[in-house]
Amino acid sequence: MSRKPDHKGHTDTTSLENFLRPIVEQFGCDLEAADIAPAGRRRLLRVLVDSDGGISLDDVAEVTRAISKALDADDIMGEGAYTLEVSSPGVDRPLTLPRHWRRNLDRLVKVELAAGETLTGRIKSASDEAAELDVDGTRQSVAYADVAKAKVQIEFNRAAGNDTETFDGVETPADGTVEEN
């Protein structure tokens, strides 16, 4: 498959992601998505990146410079004008991959299972196949294959500082005041 744009200046998303992935990975980040959308006479290239330790503004700036340089040296975007936007996914990103669950440990999530049941619980652990949630003080395993939809819930009233939570009769420290991704 050619990664060159077609006669209208459109680049297919798969080719673009394959082009961008190694650039992003140089910085220890994962390419979450790349999308091209019309923006007037130009096109908007949106690139979402993330990493296990989170991503800072400095990280985004470094990745942006590297992507821009690579795009300037290649014809994958064609000759039409475009704007490059690099950012990290927001809290509204659905949890679709094991790494998304792992990056949100101790966060409250709402999970809609394929069978129709809805769970709300705190992610306690995440493997490649399933996550363990604290649902009202009880651990419940949720296989990713059984999940129809899962999202982090924003918590504005979570205890701060050295407050503690109880899980299975054991007190554990709370972590932060606002839960968002």
Side-chain angles (χ1 to χ4, degrees):
M1 171 183 277
S2 170
R3 58 174 209 195
K4 296 190 187 272
D6 67 20
H7 66 281
K8 296 176 191 164
H10 296 286
T11 304
D12 96 274
T13 304
T14 302
S15 296
L16 186 59
E17 287 178 351
N18 290 337
F19 176 79
L20 295 172
R21 187 168 286 108
I23 298 165
V24 171
E25 288 175 349
Q26 292 178 75
F27 298 92
C29 298
D30 294 309
L31 176 66
E32 293 294 338
D35 182 54
I36 302 171
R41 293 183 181 193
R42 304 172 71 87
R43 294 170 290 155
L44 176 61
L45 170 56
R46 287 188 180 115
V47 180
L48 295 180
V49 296
D50 203 0
S51 72
D52 281 351
I55 190 158
S56 70
L57 289 176
D58 289 339
D59 297 333
V60 170
E62 284 185 51
V63 171
T64 301
R65 282 190 293 273
I67 289 173
S68 181
K69 184 177 178 180
L71 290 171
D72 288 347
D74 195 281
D75 64 351
I76 192 165
M77 289 297 293
E79 294 180 21
Y82 66 91
T83 300
L84 173 63
E85 177 183 293
V86 178
S87 62
S88 63
V91 72
D92 60 339
R93 172 196 48 195
L95 305 178
T96 58
L97 298 171
R99 70 175 179 246
H100 300 158
W101 293 81
R102 186 178 64 246
R103 290 176 182 161
N104 284 287
L105 287 177
D106 290 324
R107 305 243 178 161
L108 190 67
V109 294
K110 181 177 181 180
V111 181
E112 294 176 23
L113 299 174
E117 184 181 3
T118 299
L119 303 171
T120 301
R122 199 163 302 282
I123 303 172
K124 291 310 199 180
S125 67
S127 70
D128 287 339
E129 295 81 33
E132 291 283 328
L133 302 181
D134 169 7
V135 180
D136 297 324
T138 303
R139 266 200 199 238
Q140 185 163 346
S141 181
V142 177
Y144 305 134
D146 297 337
V147 174
K149 182 178 175 183
K151 282 190 157 186
V152 172
Q153 302 298 291
I154 298 175
E155 297 178 90
F156 292 106
N157 59 352
R158 182 131 186 233
N162 292 328
D163 294 338
T164 60
E165 298 176 10
T166 302
F167 183 73
D168 287 342
V170 177
E171 288 190 341
T172 56
D175 66 335
T177 57
V178 177
E179 295 290 332
E180 55 183 65
N181 198 3

